[in-house]
Amino acid sequence: VQLVESGGGLVQPGGSLRLSCTASGFSNSYYTIAWFRQAPGKEREGIACIDVSDSNTEYADSENGRVIIANDNARNTVYLEMNDLEPEDTGLYYCAVNLHQGLSLNAKEYIYWGRGTKITVSS
């Protein structure tokens, strides 16, 4: 199983970014991909997840509608669009896959992880 994140970078406060997570190495039709953020000195926290079999989603309440998660099954890719970024959003962003059906933002339920992509929000 391999997950590769991309799309991070430097963005000004109030800006937007779209992250991509491309999955490979498995053939399950039912799986969930989640995005997590790890800010410097803080624990990893869930942002959003999507069940690719039916595109059902779950978002962390703390995101206040700033993010959108979507899947493109033809490309085995899940996207995370992030808007109104703030300096507090700075950190490493990881995607992870749960090879079973069901939504969860609990990092302990995910076994396979990407290496992360870094977002820095700064003026």
Side-chain angles (χ1 to χ4, degrees), residues 2-3 9 24 43 49 63 87 93 98 108 111:
Q2 185 176 19
L3 300 171
S24 61
E43 293 186 357
C49 60
E63 297 306 322
Y93 285 70
N98 181 337
K108 294 180 180 180
I111 298 176

Side-chain angles (χ1 to χ4, degrees), residues 2-42:
Q2 185 176 19
L3 300 171
V4 179
E5 303 98 334
S6 62
L10 175 64
V11 61
Q12 292 187 342
S16 299
L17 280 176
R18 188 177 78 159
L19 305 181
S20 300
C21 172
T22 300
S24 61
F26 59 95
S27 58
N28 298 47
S29 298
Y30 300 92
Y31 58 94
T32 297
I33 286 189
W35 282 97
F36 294 84
R37 174 195 301 117
Q38 187 159 22
K42 295 188 177 181

Side-chain angles (χ1 to χ4, degrees), residues 1-9 17-24 26 32-38 44-45 47-48 69 75-82 91-98 110-119:
V1 176
Q2 185 176 19
L3 300 171
V4 179
E5 303 98 334
S6 62
L17 280 176
R18 188 177 78 159
L19 305 181
S20 300
C21 172
T22 300
S24 61
F26 59 95
T32 297
I33 286 189
W35 282 97
F36 294 84
R37 174 195 301 117
Q38 187 159 22
R44 199 168 296 187
E45 59 178 351
I47 301 170
I69 190 169
R75 291 181 170 82
N76 293 328
T77 298
V78 168
Y79 302 99
L80 183 72
E81 180 180 330
M82 306 184 65
L92 281 169
Y93 285 70
Y94 299 90
C95 65
V97 64
N98 181 337
Y110 292 83
I111 298 176
Y112 302 103
W113 293 78
R115 294 186 175 184
T117 186
K118 185 176 182 180
I119 293 179

Side-chain angles (χ1 to χ4, degrees), residues 33-69:
I33 286 189
W35 282 97
F36 294 84
R37 174 195 301 117
Q38 187 159 22
K42 295 188 177 181
E43 293 186 357
R44 199 168 296 187
E45 59 178 351
I47 301 170
C49 60
I50 187 165
D51 184 326
V52 302
S53 65
D54 56 17
S55 296
N56 281 343
T57 60
E58 180 177 341
Y59 293 93
D61 292 339
S62 58
E63 297 306 322
N64 296 319
R66 296 187 305 138
V67 303
I68 299 172
I69 190 169

